[in-house]
Amino acid sequence: MNRKSDKPIKITEVCLRDGSHVVAHQYTEEQVRPVARALDDAGMHYIEVSHGDGLGGSTLQYGRSLVDELKLIEAAVEECRQATVAVLLLPGIGTVHQLKQARELGAGLVRVATHVTEADVSAQHIHAAREMGMETLGFLMMAHMAPVEKLVEQAKLMESYGAQAVYVTDSAGALLPDQVRERIRALRQALDIEVGFHGHNNLSVAVANTVAAIEEGATRIDGSVRCLGAGAGNTQTEVLLAVLERMGLQVGIDLYKMMDIAEDIVAPLIPNPQEINKGSLVLGYAGVYSSFLLHAERAGKRFGIDPRDILMELGKRKAVGGQEDLILDVAAEFAKAQKREVKG
Amino acid sequence: MNRKSDKPIKITEVCLRDGSHVVAHQYTEEQVRPVARALDDAGMHYIEVSHGDGLGGSTLQYGRSLVDELKLIEAAVEECRQATVAVLLLPGIGTVHQLKQARELGAGLVRVATHVTEADVSAQHIHAAREMGMETLGFLMMAHMAPVEKLVEQAKLMESYGAQAVYVTDSAGALLPDQVRERIRALRQALDIEVGFHGHNNLSVAVANTVAAIEEGATRIDGSVRCLGAGAGNTQTEVLLAVLERMGLQVGIDLYKMMDIAEDIVAPLIPNPQEINKGSLVLGYAGVYSSFLLHAERAGKRFGIDPRDILMELGKRKAVGGQEDLILDVAAEFAKAQKREVKG
């Protein structure tokens, strides 16, 4: 494999964070402990534990956790001998206070996440995390929504705040391999810090995207065992590791143990296997937040519009999280236009 | 998208053939009819209908079909207004007589399939199919097992017998995108006929492999709705179409209708969603036939050996279908070696 970096690849397993969406944030301590222990034993580098929407995500809006995420973080830390427990923090959802609590429980790394065009809201949290002595990385979500120059500008902001790496975060699973290449390459050229990639599988190219990112020099890589994550799930960790080994790249994680964790420990935790169904496919195709899907289906029913047309329009308008009102507006507009057509 | 061919892409939907493995060949006429009708209505070009192992596959060895495949072929033909019904034929399993029966029922295209190094056994069947006036394509299975020069040599044989296209058939889902590129490119340079690609998703790169094949000039492309197929399934048709549209390539098939078929007609037919589990992953990683898995698991149990080690060794030895005996030999060898180690 031709890699444009000589730094080692560091994998972050996100099945206990992004995967939390798959179980509606109902993870228990009894579930988290064996997963963390086995991942640690397999040699996993980082294990992210938080509500699916990051620290403080347990709300009516984002879905209440069954167990306080701080309890789950504490449990994971107790199980790990070598792996670092990581947390996710979205400024506006999680607070510096919550980060401090996670830090005190032993979390060693934080990804501070913002929409791809809103890096400026991460300054305070990145500063605070660095002051706490945490490894501090920036996470630019919905990365497909910004032109490459904008992405670079925003990543440089995060770097200037003290981030030690910045991720291209393909939250909607909307990027294709060449688009990932272009983005990673641009960040590698513009930044002095490491570059990362977090993929989703809505278009079935998460593994291919991740390999493309690694070839271009990304060294911070996310995966999720058995594909557990929002939408169609993330880059499937054990599959990625198999592909990397086939390409001659060893990352120091035991492949057989990872396969066993997927089959014997993680698969039994989830209600339904991850697959690319109509909903997750259209999210990737339209390039919109997974939280839009249910709203679009409801609005579609109410106005007699195909929810896919609504989602495609939202993608075109580059709607972002929190703009759920726009869904009703678009549906109403479409219904009006249809009526005019029928009349005309 | 930069395509190295100006011929139109023709898609063959294989959920009623390769997908037959997923339902243990228990498809009924009542299931096949609505699938064929809806695919035809969506604009699908070819719909393959046969036992998972091709015409004549309904045997004790390959699994008995619930319904005679000729009945299913006839039903599919009756439902299609524009799509061509295709069949698969593996010389040694299916016969020219069975092909003639399928032809008389209205099948218009046949893929004559051999192991990648055994194209010579296809001569008689390709001749016969051409004489029947069928569109006749060659299918080189387990394409990862042969060096590129060997693949080219074998494809040229099929061309010389009268095949109108030859497929790179990644039966084990063991190829990576660059390997697909290399193979398609070599065939495009060496052949005057069209080149095709049939992928499996065991390493989660079936869609990426298929896009790579198309970019290199492959024009005969297989997909399976909802990923239905042996191992981890095939290139998921509706996802591939979404990706191609995102890349600016229209193939004349209705994407929304394909999404609906996947969700509303095909998904309800299968007992479990297709996912990449330990078994299918190790098949792709080792590059062996899916039929080896169960045998390796049994042999592993009997001799106290990890079945993955057996499969990896079979991959190294380039074991082919029919060599199931080798599985026991390898397991016994490994067990003996282990014993020696313990003693020594």
Side-chain angles (χ1 to χ4, degrees):
Chain A
M1 182 182 216
N2 263 336
R3 277 181 64 211
K4 294 180 185 157
S5 171
D6 48 14
K7 288 224 175 92
I9 307 287
K10 293 291 174 193
I11 310 275
T12 300
E13 170 59 47
V14 301
C15 72
L16 295 176
R17 197 278 302 165
D18 214 322
S20 178
H21 290 292
V22 177
V23 297
H25 317 293
Q26 301 300 294
Y27 275 136
T28 64
E29 210 183 303
E30 292 67 37
Q31 292 175 326
V32 164
R33 282 186 184 275
V35 175
R37 192 185 317 139
L39 287 169
D40 179 71
D41 179 57
M44 181 52 62
H45 307 127
Y46 299 93
I47 303 170
E48 194 173 55
V49 183
S50 304
H51 181 279
D53 296 289
L55 293 177
S58 176
T59 57
L60 209 58
Q61 189 183 355
Y62 296 107
R64 290 251 184 233
S65 301
L66 178 64
V67 178
D68 185 341
E69 62 197 336
L70 293 171
K71 284 255 177 249
L72 302 181
I73 290 165
E74 188 176 20
V77 168
E78 283 176 12
E79 299 294 338
C80 288
R81 292 168 311 163
Q82 61 79 27
T84 299
V85 170
V87 295
L88 180 74
L89 176 67
L90 279 69
I93 299 179
T95 63
V96 169
H97 174 68
Q98 286 160 327
L99 183 62
K100 194 170 275 174
Q101 290 180 299
R103 176 62 175 153
E104 280 162 9
L105 294 171
L109 181 147
V110 60
R111 279 105 71 90
V112 181
T114 77
H115 185 70
V116 63
T117 55
E118 293 170 20
D120 57 338
V121 305
S122 67
Q124 182 207 349
H125 299 77
I126 289 176
H127 288 146
R130 289 298 301 269
E131 269 171 32
M132 294 177 207
M134 294 183 87
E135 205 174 341
T136 307
L137 316 182
F139 218 56
L140 287 169
M141 300 187 294
M142 299 297 273
H144 74 284
M145 278 199 173
V148 176
E149 311 73 51
K150 187 73 182 173
L151 176 76
V152 167
E153 169 204 297
Q154 297 291 303
K156 282 172 89 93
L157 279 182
M158 284 183 159
E159 183 178 36
S160 76
Y161 304 148
Q164 294 158 299
V166 176
Y167 275 76
V168 173
T169 304
D170 182 19
S171 316
L175 289 174
L176 298 174
D178 285 347
Q179 298 173 314
V180 172
R181 273 185 203 287
E182 190 188 3
R183 282 163 175 75
I184 300 292
R185 198 179 300 151
L187 290 189
R188 287 272 297 157
Q189 278 168 2
L191 304 179
D192 292 321
I193 55 177
E194 282 182 82
V195 175
F197 180 72
H198 171 99
H200 279 265
N201 201 38
N202 298 50
L203 295 178
S204 198
V205 288
V207 166
N209 280 347
T210 304
V211 169
I214 291 172
E215 286 178 338
E216 291 298 331
T219 47
R220 298 293 184 143
I221 296 298
D222 284 11
S224 190
V225 163
R226 203 70 166 214
C227 222
L228 256 66
N234 299 99
T235 305
Q236 194 169 339
T237 317
E238 68 279 18
V239 178
L240 174 68
L241 295 174
V243 169
L244 293 180
E245 289 204 8
R246 282 279 309 280
M247 297 179 85
L249 186 66
Q250 307 284 338
V251 297
I253 299 172
D254 188 307
L255 174 61
Y256 280 11
K257 285 186 180 174
M258 290 299 297
M259 288 180 179
D260 291 338
I261 293 169
E263 191 83 4
D264 304 327
I265 306 182
V266 172
L269 297 181
I270 56 173
N272 296 302
Q274 292 288 87
E275 59 180 335
I276 306 175
N277 59 21
K278 185 164 150 184
S280 50
L281 173 55
V282 76
L283 291 172
Y285 181 61
V288 296
Y289 275 103
S290 49
S291 61
F292 285 6
L293 183 61
L294 193 62
H295 294 283
E297 283 171 352
R298 280 189 197 141
K301 216 167 196 177
R302 184 165 148 200
F303 289 95
I305 302 292
D306 191 319
R308 291 174 288 204
D309 290 330
I310 302 173
L311 292 168
M312 291 302 289
E313 182 64 22
L314 291 169
K316 271 184 212 152
R317 295 192 191 180
K318 299 197 183 300
V320 299
Q323 290 192 302
E324 281 77 4
D325 286 353
L326 193 57
I327 295 174
L328 280 178
D329 295 349
V330 166
E333 272 176 45
F334 278 18
K336 221 168 165 181
Q338 267 192 356
K339 227 169 158 185
R340 267 202 304 275
E341 264 176 48
V342 173
K343 274 192 189 167
Chain B
M1 183 183 218
N2 262 334
R3 277 181 63 211
K4 292 179 185 157
S5 171
D6 47 14
K7 287 222 174 96
I9 307 289
K10 293 291 174 194
I11 311 275
T12 300
E13 169 58 47
V14 301
C15 72
L16 296 176
R17 197 278 303 165
D18 214 323
S20 177
H21 290 292
V22 178
V23 297
H25 317 293
Q26 302 300 294
Y27 275 135
T28 64
E29 209 182 304
E30 292 67 37
Q31 293 176 324
V32 164
R33 282 187 183 276
V35 175
R37 192 185 317 139
L39 287 170
D40 179 71
D41 178 57
M44 181 53 62
H45 307 129
Y46 299 93
I47 303 170
E48 193 172 56
V49 183
S50 304
H51 181 280
D53 296 288
L55 293 177
S58 176
T59 57
L60 208 59
Q61 188 183 357
Y62 296 107
R64 290 248 184 237
S65 301
L66 179 64
V67 177
D68 185 340
E69 63 197 334
L70 293 171
K71 284 252 175 254
L72 302 181
I73 290 166
E74 187 175 20
V77 169
E78 283 175 13
E79 297 295 338
C80 288
R81 291 168 312 162
Q82 61 78 28
T84 299
V85 171
V87 295
L88 180 73
L89 176 68
L90 278 71
I93 299 179
T95 63
V96 170
H97 175 68
Q98 285 161 328
L99 183 62
K100 193 169 275 175
Q101 290 179 299
R103 176 62 176 153
E104 280 162 8
L105 294 171
L109 181 147
V110 59
R111 280 105 72 89
V112 180
T114 76
H115 185 70
V116 63
T117 55
E118 294 170 21
D120 56 337
V121 305
S122 67
Q124 182 207 351
H125 298 77
I126 289 177
H127 287 147
R130 289 298 303 270
E131 268 171 32
M132 294 177 208
M134 296 182 86
E135 205 174 343
T136 307
L137 316 182
F139 217 56
L140 288 169
M141 300 186 294
M142 300 296 273
H144 74 285
M145 277 198 171
V148 177
E149 310 73 53
K150 186 75 184 172
L151 176 74
V152 168
E153 169 204 296
Q154 297 292 303
K156 282 172 90 92
L157 279 182
M158 284 182 159
E159 183 179 35
S160 75
Y161 305 148
Q164 293 157 301
V166 176
Y167 275 75
V168 174
T169 304
D170 182 19
S171 316
L175 289 173
L176 297 173
D178 286 346
Q179 298 173 312
V180 172
R181 272 185 204 288
E182 191 188 2
R183 283 164 174 75
I184 300 291
R185 198 179 301 151
L187 290 189
R188 286 273 297 157
Q189 279 167 3
L191 304 179
D192 292 320
I193 53 178
E194 283 183 83
V195 174
F197 181 72
H198 172 98
H200 279 266
N201 201 37
N202 299 48
L203 295 178
S204 197
V205 288
V207 166
N209 280 348
T210 305
V211 168
I214 291 172
E215 285 177 340
E216 292 297 332
T219 46
R220 298 294 185 141
I221 296 300
D222 285 12
S224 189
V225 164
R226 203 71 166 214
C227 223
L228 256 65
N234 298 98
T235 306
Q236 194 169 338
T237 316
E238 67 280 18
V239 178
L240 174 68
L241 294 175
V243 169
L244 293 180
E245 288 204 9
R246 282 279 309 281
M247 298 179 85
L249 186 66
Q250 308 283 339
V251 297
I253 299 172
D254 188 307
L255 174 60
Y256 279 11
K257 285 186 179 174
M258 291 299 297
M259 288 181 179
D260 291 338
I261 293 169
E263 191 84 3
D264 304 327
I265 306 182
V266 173
L269 298 182
I270 56 174
N272 296 300
Q274 291 289 85
E275 59 181 334
I276 306 176
N277 58 21
K278 186 165 149 182
S280 49
L281 174 54
V282 77
L283 291 174
Y285 182 61
V288 296
Y289 275 103
S290 49
S291 61
F292 284 7
L293 183 59
L294 192 63
H295 294 283
E297 283 171 353
R298 280 189 197 143
K301 217 170 195 174
R302 182 164 150 202
F303 289 95
I305 302 292
D306 191 319
R308 290 173 289 203
D309 290 330
I310 303 173
L311 292 169
M312 291 301 291
E313 182 63 24
L314 292 169
K316 271 185 213 153
R317 295 192 191 179
K318 299 196 183 301
V320 299
Q323 289 193 303
E324 280 79 4
D325 286 354
L326 192 57
I327 295 173
L328 280 178
D329 295 348
V330 166
E333 272 175 45
F334 278 17
K336 220 168 168 181
Q338 265 191 357
K339 228 169 159 183
R340 268 200 304 274
E341 263 175 48
V342 174
K343 275 192 188 164

